[in-house]
């Protein structure tokens, strides 16, 4: 459109650069902001500009925090002998929201992905090994996403942890199977195979 | 999650206040921004803060613009005798992208919706009547959305325009029928009825 205000195109581009937001959705969002009172777009703007301010990575588990040590690591009620290794901070949030894990975490900051140039040195694997070397760790749960990269990372981690001299550490992974509420007839072959293989006594 | 950084929650809330973005999507977007280089969130922030700066409504058609008169109204190649009346600026964009309209527009700034307290005085109806009174207008296309409110607004506008003393103005509306690429068997009854009623010789 001729002479279309540049501030609008700029905002559309900014929204459209986010994952899962196409140009059409971005345009709708921008026109929603224009129709809304000025404080809505101002608040969005300020929040985005201040987002990264003061954010740090926890010295222990590499989770995102505003202190040196994150809330989970600092909580004396959490069982520090059990470490749940996840790909990213978002996964910690998923566990914490579910309120089902009383151990601590370790955030890998990604998965191995040679095609994207992400090798072991890009991840916080050394930090994890150091934590384990520090002693007191009894179990490590490898809670990567059930993807090819997640699998490869889990295998690499297992090797690294077994290569060290920590004989008593149990290395486990999350169960595979049918998600609750799903329909068996819609499950893919791999999921169904895993559910069958991992069947348990009733 | 205990001690979850406030700048993150704030950004999640800002995203989640937008239409069509739930808390889960908002959270994903925020963690995407955190993982991205700092300039991505900064750009989003600046774009949002500057979005409304300098935006005006065109003095003629009430479209969003940065000048007093919008690009369409100022374009001498456009046929000012044909006015396409739309609900909002986003609709102008849809027409302009399609590149199928050589007349001008009038942006109503909404539709009549008594339940939400939106009466004729909230819309730019008086501006439209004044444009028509100014002379030179031959056709008015009522291009509201095919919704109950859109219909009611079109009927109200027709009455207003016929009540004035502009005998030669043609008032039309967009055709109803099957959208291109759709499947007849999926069409709802009203659409199918409209398609049948509006059938044309081949």
């Amino acid at each position: 459109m001729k002479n279309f205000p540049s501030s609008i195109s700029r905002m559309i581009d900014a929204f459209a650069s986010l994952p899962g937001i196409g140009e059409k959705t971005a345009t709708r969002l921008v026109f929603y902001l224009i129709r809304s009172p000025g404080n809505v777009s101002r608040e969005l703007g300020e929040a985005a500009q201040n987002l990264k301010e003061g954010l740090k990575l926890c010295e222990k588990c590499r989770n995102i925090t505003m202190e040196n040590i994150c809330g989970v690591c600092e909580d004396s009620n959490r069982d520090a002998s059990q470490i749940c290794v996840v790909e990213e901070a978002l996964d910690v949030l998923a566990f914490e929201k579910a309120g089902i894990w009383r151990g601590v975490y370790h955030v890998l900051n990604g998965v191995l992905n040679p095609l994207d140039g992400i090798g072991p040195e890009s991840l916080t694997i050394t930090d994890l090994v150091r934590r384990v070397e520090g002693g007191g760790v009894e179990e490590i749960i490898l809670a990567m996403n059930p993807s090819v990269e997640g699998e490869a990372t889990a295998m690499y981690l297992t090797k690294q942890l077994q290569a060290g001299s920590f004989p008593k550490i149990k290395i486990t992974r999350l169960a595979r199977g049918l998600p609750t509420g799903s329909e068996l007839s819609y499950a893919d072959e791999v999921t169904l195979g895993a559910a069958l293989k991992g069947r348990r006594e009733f």
Side-chain angles (χ1 to χ4, degrees), chain A:
Chain A
M1 190 168 143
K2 239 184 271 175
N3 296 331
F4 201 56
S6 60
S7 65
I8 295 185
S9 332
R10 185 184 177 188
M11 190 73 224
I12 293 176
D13 290 344
F15 271 136
S17 76
L18 301 175
I21 298 191
E23 207 197 321
K24 223 160 193 172
T25 308
T27 310
R28 285 207 160 267
L29 291 176
V30 172
F31 277 86
Y32 168 82
L33 285 179
I34 293 174
R35 275 198 308 275
S36 306
N39 61 320
V40 178
S41 48
R42 260 200 313 279
E43 167 59 20
L44 179 74
E46 277 176 30
Q49 292 202 298
N50 298 331
L51 175 60
K52 293 201 170 190
E53 225 159 81
L55 287 191
K56 297 178 189 176
L57 294 184
C58 169
E59 287 175 7
K60 281 192 181 170
C61 74
R62 318 310 286 168
N63 187 15
I64 296 165
T65 169
M66 293 189 92
E67 319 295 329
N68 293 329
I69 303 289
C70 78
V72 174
C73 288
E74 209 163 50
D75 187 345
S76 56
N77 289 321
R78 307 292 292 236
D79 181 358
S81 73
Q82 296 191 305
I83 301 180
C84 179
V85 183
V86 293
E87 291 184 18
E88 48 170 342
L90 201 53
D91 303 326
V92 172
L93 196 61
F95 273 110
E96 289 300 296
K97 271 196 174 163
I100 44 166
W101 178 238
R102 298 309 302 161
V104 293
Y105 299 95
H106 189 83
V107 180
L108 277 185
N109 195 26
V111 274
L112 295 175
N113 193 339
L115 289 179
D116 285 356
I118 300 173
E121 67 289 345
S122 311
L123 309 181
T124 64
I125 295 177
T126 329
D127 298 293
L128 178 62
V129 171
R130 209 173 296 132
R131 277 178 87 176
V132 175
E133 280 172 350
V137 179
E138 285 165 19
E139 181 176 356
I140 288 193
I141 302 180
L142 300 176
M144 272 96 254
N145 284 324
S147 63
V148 176
E149 292 81 10
E151 286 294 281
T153 311
M155 277 172 61
Y156 180 86
L157 273 178
T158 309
K159 268 190 195 156
Q160 290 298 105
L161 292 168
Q162 282 172 342
S165 44
F166 341 109
K168 285 176 76 186
I169 290 181
K170 201 160 106 187
I171 299 177
T172 57
R173 48 186 283 191
L174 296 180
R176 295 289 170 79
L178 298 170
T180 305
S182 64
E183 292 206 34
L184 199 138
S185 57
Y186 282 109
D188 64 281
E189 297 146 36
V190 182
T191 301
L192 209 53
L196 194 62
K197 201 172 156 196
R199 67 190 183 276
R200 302 175 69 171
E201 253 181 82
F202 203 59

